[in-house]
Amino acid sequence: MSYIVLARKYRPRTFSEMVGQEHVVQALSNALEQQRLHHAYLFTGTRGVGKTTVSRILAKSLNCQGADGNGGITAAPCGVCQACTDIDSGRFVDYTELDAASNRGVDEVQQLLEQAVYKPVQGRFKVFMIDEVHMLTGHAFNAMLKTLEEPPEYLKFVLATTDPQKVPVTVLSRCLQFNLRPMAPETVQEHLAHVLADEKVEAEPGALRLLSRAARGSMRDALSLTDQAIAFGAGQLQEAAVRQMLGSVDRSHVFRLIEALAAGDGKTVVETSEALRLHGLSAAAALEEMSMVLQRMAVLQAVPSASEGGDEEAATIARLAQMLPADETQLLYSICLHGRTELGLAPDEYAALTMVLLRLLAFKPSASQEKKTLLTRPAPQAAVPASPRPTENPDGRPSVSPQANRGDAPAAPPRPTAPPGRVLPVVEPRQPAPRAAAPAGQGNDVVGVPVRLQPEPLRDTATGVPAVTPTPEGDFWQATVQQLVDREAITALVRELALQAQLVGRDEGHWMLRVERESLNQPASRERLKNALQAAGHAVEISVEVGAVSDSPARRNAHAAWLRQQAAEQIILNDPFVQQMQRDFGAKIVPGSIKPVAKTRE
């Protein structure tokens, strides 16, 4: 006896045997039990999810005669009567399957419809099943519209397609549509376990997990891959053999890559990529597995209670989720998805894989942040003159000790034990920095520079325009940046860094800038901005920190643009002619049509 492949041998023959399509089974079963039968059904879904199977079971339910020959329409066909056995074997005269992929013309459809005028020969209903119905031509669809809308009471249409968007709306409106969903990997794995238990084939859970993932929601693909894996493993399903057959990437490689990316270890990343090349593993599969792991990590980071305790890999994924910040996980996931589309464009997919992995490493934010002060070495408290010492209120804003505000509180003199050095105060705009004469025997090394604390950034809730808190440093920085922009001394990212930055502190040789976005804080941009400042006569070193910004040239420009827009709108609204047109003719001003006139520079 010839061998029957698993996909055909274990094709469901009743609704109770179907898996993963409970919503369709429930609707059809209730309709059959209540005798509420539609004349045309449309089943949509990807390959191997059960469209043809549901059609055959529906035909058996309509024509089942029962084991005793006295049965009627039922949701549970007996499977032993002549109608059920003939439909299963494909020789039932009143059940016709038409493959529209090869019979897509109007002539084939007309030949099928010519049979509609004849009553059933053996069964209770005639059933016309048209597979891949979207392949029919426009004339073929038009030829069947009238019969599809008002068929004889003994005729049922069953249409199946993988692309319902190509089916005309006139056909969709005449059918009762059911969407068969792709099956979850867990559902496929459970069904494979039952099939292999009936076949008495030993299988490792890891091998079934790989097969269920490779099926991509198709039960027929899963059973076909299982047939191939049984032949490859000589009657056994072992994880290593199945992984070799599928070319899948071992999750250990993926875990090693993500761990190296979290640690910024470029050497391990390149070595792991070379290991994938030596083992002949698929580069696309590597990025796919990384995307799946990163997706589970992102879920754990957002919802810690969503941990899958039954998965043996859950502990490792949970550990990796703690190593990476949530924003970096999202970034790596996005780069992996886009990197898969680039593999086919590269001359070597493994070289493309290495570039994607290095891109993941290059876009990883630096772990070492810029220091938030300009201290060159720590200074004891006694060496700093008494000044208002900022603290933090519960709302996060700085406050000053009450004693510091008293005018009668004398400053504590420096003790003899103070280390050599001096303290530079914040320089006011356009004023030379005061130089204090260093005591004899003491050096001129900078001990600390007080940095003026800035309030948190504000946004006008009524207008949505970023609020600006003017500061003396902001006036000076606005003028400096505007000078550089007018001379085109800075462009592109360097100009964006200068416009988005806030000058929070400066002395005669060092300026501290603050930006809100880490992507602007790049070494090359900082170096080019420093060179531009030196060319403009400001021979200083600059440091950039990441934090809240309340006074930057970009914020000032946005606020000024908003003010000009408001002034332009007021001019139009207050114009007597405009008011007369609104009053007499109900005229309305189109939103967004008022634009301020740009000022021309002389």
Side-chain angles (χ1 to χ4, degrees), residues 283-560:
L287 293 179
E288 181 181 354
E289 290 291 331
M290 285 191 66
S291 301
M292 295 174 63
V293 173
L294 290 169
Q295 182 267 337
R296 293 182 59 182
M297 291 169 54
V299 171
L300 286 177
Q301 291 170 347
V303 186
S305 60
S307 176
E308 301 177 9
D311 193 345
E312 59 184 10
E313 299 173 346
T316 304
I317 294 178
R319 179 176 59 84
L320 293 175
Q322 297 177 354
M323 296 177 61
L324 272 177
D327 56 345
E328 291 186 26
T329 303
Q330 296 289 342
L331 177 62
L332 298 186
Y333 179 78
S334 178
I335 293 179
C336 285
L337 289 184
H338 289 83
R340 289 183 61 189
T341 62
E342 301 176 1
L343 296 180
L345 304 177
D348 181 5
E349 68 171 3
Y350 293 102
L353 173 63
T354 303
M355 289 302 298
V356 172
L357 297 176
L358 292 179
R359 188 181 309 159
L360 296 173
L361 194 63
F363 279 89
K364 174 181 172 59
S366 176
S368 58
Q369 300 290 341
E370 295 284 346
K371 290 186 176 180
K372 305 245 182 224
T373 61
L374 299 178
L375 297 179
T376 57
R377 74 169 178 268
Q381 183 177 1
V384 181
S387 59
R389 186 169 185 174
T391 59
E392 286 193 358
N393 288 325
D395 58 356
R397 294 180 299 176
S399 62
V400 181
S401 173
Q403 295 181 357
N405 295 328
R406 299 176 183 175
D408 56 350
R415 298 180 182 178
T417 58
R422 58 193 176 90
V423 177
L424 298 179
V426 175
V427 179
E428 297 298 331
R430 297 180 178 83
Q431 293 182 4
R435 298 178 176 271
Q442 296 185 3
N444 292 328
D445 295 336
V446 176
V447 173
V449 178
V451 177
R452 181 177 285 110
L453 296 176
Q454 301 294 338
E456 293 295 327
L458 300 176
R459 182 174 292 272
D460 194 332
T461 56
T463 63
V465 179
V468 179
T469 306
T471 60
E473 285 82 3
D475 298 336
F476 172 77
W477 183 242
Q478 170 77 11
T480 303
V481 172
Q482 189 62 48
Q483 180 184 5
L484 297 177
V485 172
D486 294 341
R487 292 171 43 215
E488 296 185 356
I490 54 176
T491 58
L493 291 178
V494 184
R495 179 180 59 191
E496 192 67 18
L497 170 61
L499 291 173
Q500 298 291 341
Q502 175 182 354
L503 181 63
V504 295
R506 59 192 173 98
D507 61 29
E508 57 186 1
H510 205 147
W511 292 2
M512 170 65 77
L513 304 178
R514 179 185 297 163
V515 295
E516 290 183 337
R517 292 183 293 174
E518 177 66 30
S519 58
L520 295 175
N521 187 14
Q522 301 297 330
S525 301
R526 294 198 303 267
E527 186 66 22
R528 292 174 61 186
L529 179 58
K530 184 188 74 172
N531 295 337
L533 290 173
Q534 290 179 353
H538 304 285
V540 294
E541 296 290 334
I542 63 172
S543 299
V544 181
E545 65 176 8
V546 179
V549 173
S550 61
D551 185 15
S552 65
R555 283 177 171 267
R556 292 192 175 203
N557 294 340
H559 188 72

Side-chain angles (χ1 to χ4, degrees), residues 69-80:
N70 297 321
I73 299 175
T74 177
C78 65
V80 297

Side-chain angles (χ1 to χ4, degrees), residues 51 164 174 189 208 213 224 235 245 335 368 388 399 403 438 457 480 489 507 527 556 558 564 577-578 591 601:
K51 298 185 295 297
R174 290 167 167 83
Q189 181 178 348
L208 297 182
R213 290 175 182 168
S224 299
M245 181 194 76
I335 293 179
S368 58
S399 62
Q403 295 181 357
T480 303
D507 61 29
E527 186 66 22
R556 292 192 175 203
R564 290 195 300 272
F577 178 74
V578 174
R601 297 184 179 181

Side-chain angles (χ1 to χ4, degrees), residues 17-25 49 179-184 187-188 219:
E17 295 179 2
M18 291 198 64
V19 294
Q21 308 297 344
E22 289 79 7
H23 62 294
V24 176
V25 171
V49 294
N179 182 26
L180 280 72
R181 306 165 184 164
M183 301 181 193
T187 303
V188 176
M219 187 64 73

Side-chain angles (χ1 to χ4, degrees), residues 180-212:
L180 280 72
R181 306 165 184 164
M183 301 181 193
E186 295 78 11
T187 303
V188 176
Q189 181 178 348
E190 183 180 357
H191 185 67
L192 290 181
H194 289 301
V195 170
L196 294 176
D198 294 340
E199 290 289 316
K200 296 182 174 52
V201 176
E202 297 181 1
E204 295 181 356
L208 297 182
R209 189 181 305 111
L210 291 175
L211 291 173
S212 61

